[in-house]
Amino acid sequence: MNPLTGLGPFFAVDTHAAEEPASPWRPLAEVLDDGPVLRRRIAQNRAVLGGDFVELRVAASIAHLGLAARLISPALGLAVGAGAVPDYSKAWWQPKLGGAFPLSLTEDSPVESDVVAAFAERVLRGPLARLDKAMAAFSLAENVRRGNVASALNGAVTVLRSERPEWTDRVAGIVAALEELPELVGTATRENGRFRRRSCCLFYRATPDRNGPKCGDCVLA
């Protein structure tokens, strides 16, 4: 059984063989660096959020959080459920807005003896590190970028605990180790099992008065 089955759209992936998949699939790498594809996506997010009154960094943060969640979710699901971590350097996507965009991975992800180390190398220090560098060009502070990654990871954890309760202990062990890595350490707190990030994704600023609703895990809530 595919360990990602039934976990929802942010975990769902297609698979492709070694050769390039046909259109409308595009290489994921094109949206991980500062360039026209990423800038177009941020502009589209800005338009959806409200247009010109929305600060560019706010639109960039929301785009960043969505991209991070889309990459972290299936990677964590595979790490916990199959002991494998995907290679995003060979991933493909379709640039659709609204929810989780289509994502395709190679057919086989190797089983790892150390999934935490593999996750750090192939996810945190791979595509997410590239995306982090790109997002810095939009005046998005480092603590916000790191917090977005932590929030995306916690979102995936919440789904896994709900949909795969038999994985709870394994999820907890892997995530605890991940949260001690330099990329995530100090980004959030957990009190009585409740996750709270130490930064804000800035979504509340996507209103004309810059005082919109706060997310449930926000440091300002």
Side-chain angles (χ1 to χ4, degrees):
M1 176 181 173
N2 183 341
L4 302 179
T5 299
L7 292 176
F10 275 85
F11 290 81
V13 296
D14 285 41
T15 57
H16 60 270
E19 64 270 15
E20 297 180 359
S23 178
W25 292 104
R26 302 173 61 89
L28 178 68
E30 69 179 8
V31 76
L32 300 178
D33 299 318
D34 183 10
V37 175
L38 180 60
R39 288 184 173 268
R40 185 180 310 116
R41 189 166 187 86
I42 291 172
Q44 290 171 330
N45 273 268
R46 191 181 191 187
V48 169
L49 289 169
D52 291 344
F53 75 81
V54 177
E55 299 159 275
L56 183 60
R57 67 187 180 117
V58 174
S61 180
I62 301 308
H64 178 237
L65 184 54
L67 287 164
R70 189 64 179 103
L71 300 183
I72 284 174
S73 297
L76 185 63
L78 288 171
V80 175
V85 178
D87 181 358
Y88 281 121
S89 70
K90 301 175 183 178
W92 293 72
W93 79 311
Q94 295 179 30
K96 296 181 179 180
L97 282 181
F101 56 80
L103 181 65
S104 183
L105 305 174
T106 52
E107 292 178 335
D108 297 313
S109 295
V111 175
E112 302 291 341
S113 58
D114 187 342
V115 292
V116 172
F119 193 101
E121 185 65 25
R122 294 190 195 149
V123 183
L124 298 177
R125 295 166 192 163
L128 291 182
R130 288 178 65 174
L131 188 59
D132 180 79
K133 181 179 179 181
M135 286 296 174
F138 297 91
S139 300
L140 192 60
E142 181 182 12
N143 67 319
V144 175
R145 304 192 312 264
R146 295 179 72 236
N148 283 350
V149 173
S151 186
L153 179 65
N154 184 66
V157 168
T158 300
V159 173
L160 292 180
R161 285 177 173 166
S162 173
E163 300 300 324
R164 298 286 194 274
E166 67 275 19
W167 293 358
T168 297
D169 290 344
R170 184 159 172 77
V171 170
I174 290 175
V175 171
L178 290 174
E179 290 179 340
E180 291 300 316
L181 295 173
E183 291 81 5
L184 290 169
V185 69
T187 56
T189 61
R190 292 187 184 274
E191 297 180 5
N192 298 320
R194 183 179 179 181
F195 172 89
R196 185 179 297 278
R197 56 185 286 175
R198 287 178 167 164
S199 62
C200 173
C201 72
L202 308 178
F203 180 71
Y204 80 98
R205 297 183 65 84
T207 59
D209 62 0
R210 308 286 195 268
N211 192 29
K214 313 291 193 303
C215 302
D217 65 359
C218 183
V219 69
L220 303 178

PDB file of all heavy atoms in Angstrom, residues 95-110:
ATOM      1  N   PRO A  95       2.200  24.314 -12.287  1.00  0.00           N
ATOM      2  CA  PRO A  95       2.036  25.587 -11.572  1.00  0.00           C
ATOM      3  C   PRO A  95       0.586  26.043 -11.444  1.00  0.00           C
ATOM      4  O   PRO A  95       0.166  27.040 -12.027  1.00  0.00           O
ATOM      5  CB  PRO A  95       2.857  26.556 -12.422  1.00  0.00           C
ATOM      6  CG  PRO A  95       2.818  25.982 -13.790  1.00  0.00           C
ATOM      7  CD  PRO A  95       2.817  24.491 -13.615  1.00  0.00           C
ATOM      8  N   LYS A  96      -0.177  25.308 -10.637  1.00  0.00           N
ATOM      9  CA  LYS A  96      -1.566  25.669 -10.393  1.00  0.00           C
ATOM     10  C   LYS A  96      -1.700  26.341  -9.033  1.00  0.00           C
ATOM     11  O   LYS A  96      -1.010  25.994  -8.083  1.00  0.00           O
ATOM     12  CB  LYS A  96      -2.453  24.422 -10.456  1.00  0.00           C
ATOM     13  CG  LYS A  96      -2.481  23.765 -11.825  1.00  0.00           C
ATOM     14  CD  LYS A  96      -3.404  22.553 -11.836  1.00  0.00           C
ATOM     15  CE  LYS A  96      -3.456  21.914 -13.220  1.00  0.00           C
ATOM     16  NZ  LYS A  96      -4.352  20.720 -13.235  1.00  0.00           N
ATOM     17  N   LEU A  97      -2.613  27.311  -8.951  1.00  0.00           N
ATOM     18  CA  LEU A  97      -2.891  27.991  -7.696  1.00  0.00           C
ATOM     19  C   LEU A  97      -4.109  27.371  -7.032  1.00  0.00           C
ATOM     20  O   LEU A  97      -4.929  26.724  -7.673  1.00  0.00           O
ATOM     21  CB  LEU A  97      -3.151  29.472  -7.940  1.00  0.00           C
ATOM     22  CG  LEU A  97      -1.952  30.388  -8.177  1.00  0.00           C
ATOM     23  CD1 LEU A  97      -2.440  31.809  -8.374  1.00  0.00           C
ATOM     24  CD2 LEU A  97      -0.945  30.318  -7.052  1.00  0.00           C
ATOM     25  N   GLY A  98      -4.246  27.622  -5.736  1.00  0.00           N
ATOM     26  CA  GLY A  98      -5.414  27.147  -5.017  1.00  0.00           C
ATOM     27  C   GLY A  98      -5.212  25.743  -4.494  1.00  0.00           C
ATOM     28  O   GLY A  98      -5.394  24.773  -5.215  1.00  0.00           O
ATOM     29  N   GLY A  99      -4.798  25.634  -3.247  1.00  0.00           N
ATOM     30  CA  GLY A  99      -4.558  24.313  -2.679  1.00  0.00           C
ATOM     31  C   GLY A  99      -3.211  23.750  -3.088  1.00  0.00           C
ATOM     32  O   GLY A  99      -2.280  24.477  -3.417  1.00  0.00           O
ATOM     33  N   ALA A 100      -3.131  22.437  -3.088  1.00  0.00           N
ATOM     34  CA  ALA A 100      -1.869  21.755  -3.383  1.00  0.00           C
ATOM     35  C   ALA A 100      -1.696  21.571  -4.881  1.00  0.00           C
ATOM     36  O   ALA A 100      -2.552  20.994  -5.545  1.00  0.00           O
ATOM     37  CB  ALA A 100      -1.846  20.399  -2.691  1.00  0.00           C
ATOM     38  N   PHE A 101      -0.591  22.060  -5.424  1.00  0.00           N
ATOM     39  CA  PHE A 101      -0.341  21.882  -6.849  1.00  0.00           C
ATOM     40  C   PHE A 101       0.089  20.447  -7.137  1.00  0.00           C
ATOM     41  O   PHE A 101       0.634  19.756  -6.273  1.00  0.00           O
ATOM     42  CB  PHE A 101       0.734  22.865  -7.335  1.00  0.00           C
ATOM     43  CG  PHE A 101       2.042  22.796  -6.593  1.00  0.00           C
ATOM     44  CD1 PHE A 101       2.986  21.819  -6.878  1.00  0.00           C
ATOM     45  CD2 PHE A 101       2.338  23.735  -5.612  1.00  0.00           C
ATOM     46  CE1 PHE A 101       4.192  21.761  -6.194  1.00  0.00           C
ATOM     47  CE2 PHE A 101       3.547  23.697  -4.928  1.00  0.00           C
ATOM     48  CZ  PHE A 101       4.470  22.710  -5.218  1.00  0.00           C
ATOM     49  N   PRO A 102      -0.153  19.941  -8.352  1.00  0.00           N
ATOM     50  CA  PRO A 102       0.280  18.584  -8.705  1.00  0.00           C
ATOM     51  C   PRO A 102       1.798  18.443  -8.607  1.00  0.00           C
ATOM     52  O   PRO A 102       2.546  19.344  -9.023  1.00  0.00           O
ATOM     53  CB  PRO A 102      -0.201  18.422 -10.147  1.00  0.00           C
ATOM     54  CG  PRO A 102      -1.337  19.382 -10.274  1.00  0.00           C
ATOM     55  CD  PRO A 102      -0.951  20.564  -9.424  1.00  0.00           C
ATOM     56  N   LEU A 103       2.252  17.333  -8.064  1.00  0.00           N
ATOM     57  CA  LEU A 103       3.664  17.067  -7.847  1.00  0.00           C
ATOM     58  C   LEU A 103       3.960  15.629  -8.263  1.00  0.00           C
ATOM     59  O   LEU A 103       3.198  14.720  -7.943  1.00  0.00           O
ATOM     60  CB  LEU A 103       4.000  17.263  -6.368  1.00  0.00           C
ATOM     61  CG  LEU A 103       5.439  17.052  -5.910  1.00  0.00           C
ATOM     62  CD1 LEU A 103       6.364  18.091  -6.529  1.00  0.00           C
ATOM     63  CD2 LEU A 103       5.514  17.126  -4.380  1.00  0.00           C
ATOM     64  N   SER A 104       5.052  15.429  -8.987  1.00  0.00           N
ATOM     65  CA  SER A 104       5.422  14.090  -9.440  1.00  0.00           C
ATOM     66  C   SER A 104       6.851  13.770  -9.032  1.00  0.00           C
ATOM     67  O   SER A 104       7.760  14.591  -9.207  1.00  0.00           O
ATOM     68  CB  SER A 104       5.280  13.981 -10.966  1.00  0.00           C
ATOM     69  OG  SER A 104       5.573  12.668 -11.407  1.00  0.00           O
ATOM     70  N   LEU A 105       7.029  12.571  -8.484  1.00  0.00           N
ATOM     71  CA  LEU A 105       8.343  12.109  -8.039  1.00  0.00           C
ATOM     72  C   LEU A 105       8.755  10.887  -8.845  1.00  0.00           C
ATOM     73  O   LEU A 105       7.930  10.248  -9.488  1.00  0.00           O
ATOM     74  CB  LEU A 105       8.289  11.738  -6.551  1.00  0.00           C
ATOM     75  CG  LEU A 105       7.776  12.809  -5.593  1.00  0.00           C
ATOM     76  CD1 LEU A 105       7.652  12.231  -4.183  1.00  0.00           C
ATOM     77  CD2 LEU A 105       8.690  14.027  -5.596  1.00  0.00           C
ATOM     78  N   THR A 106      10.029  10.568  -8.808  1.00  0.00           N
ATOM     79  CA  THR A 106      10.478   9.341  -9.456  1.00  0.00           C
ATOM     80  C   THR A 106       9.830   8.142  -8.771  1.00  0.00           C
ATOM     81  O   THR A 106       9.421   8.215  -7.605  1.00  0.00           O
ATOM     82  CB  THR A 106      12.010   9.198  -9.388  1.00  0.00           C
ATOM     83  OG1 THR A 106      12.431   9.348  -8.034  1.00  0.00           O
ATOM     84  CG2 THR A 106      12.683  10.257 -10.245  1.00  0.00           C
ATOM     85  N   GLU A 107       9.735   7.044  -9.493  1.00  0.00           N
ATOM     86  CA  GLU A 107       8.956   5.906  -9.017  1.00  0.00           C
ATOM     87  C   GLU A 107       9.514   5.265  -7.755  1.00  0.00           C
ATOM     88  O   GLU A 107       8.770   4.721  -6.945  1.00  0.00           O
ATOM     89  CB  GLU A 107       8.851   4.865 -10.135  1.00  0.00           C
ATOM     90  CG  GLU A 107       8.002   5.352 -11.310  1.00  0.00           C
ATOM     91  CD  GLU A 107       7.948   4.342 -12.441  1.00  0.00           C
ATOM     92  OE1 GLU A 107       8.886   3.525 -12.542  1.00  0.00           O
ATOM     93  OE2 GLU A 107       6.989   4.378 -13.217  1.00  0.00           O
ATOM     94  N   ASP A 108      10.815   5.333  -7.570  1.00  0.00           N
ATOM     95  CA  ASP A 108      11.420   4.662  -6.423  1.00  0.00           C
ATOM     96  C   ASP A 108      12.220   5.645  -5.574  1.00  0.00           C
ATOM     97  O   ASP A 108      13.085   6.352  -6.081  1.00  0.00           O
ATOM     98  CB  ASP A 108      12.348   3.536  -6.882  1.00  0.00           C
ATOM     99  CG  ASP A 108      11.596   2.440  -7.625  1.00  0.00           C
ATOM    100  OD1 ASP A 108      10.553   2.003  -7.124  1.00  0.00           O
ATOM    101  OD2 ASP A 108      12.052   2.047  -8.720  1.00  0.00           O
ATOM    102  N   SER A 109      11.908   5.680  -4.276  1.00  0.00           N
ATOM    103  CA  SER A 109      12.716   6.430  -3.315  1.00  0.00           C
ATOM    104  C   SER A 109      13.403   5.404  -2.421  1.00  0.00           C
ATOM    105  O   SER A 109      12.737   4.541  -1.849  1.00  0.00           O
ATOM    106  CB  SER A 109      11.833   7.355  -2.474  1.00  0.00           C
ATOM    107  OG  SER A 109      11.231   8.345  -3.268  1.00  0.00           O
ATOM    108  N   PRO A 110      14.725   5.475  -2.313  1.00  0.00           N
ATOM    109  CA  PRO A 110      15.441   4.432  -1.563  1.00  0.00           C
ATOM    110  C   PRO A 110      15.120   4.452  -0.072  1.00  0.00           C
ATOM    111  O   PRO A 110      14.921   5.509   0.518  1.00  0.00           O
ATOM    112  CB  PRO A 110      16.917   4.791  -1.812  1.00  0.00           C
ATOM    113  CG  PRO A 110      16.905   6.254  -2.115  1.00  0.00           C
ATOM    114  CD  PRO A 110      15.627   6.510  -2.843  1.00  0.00           C
TER     115      PRO A 110
END
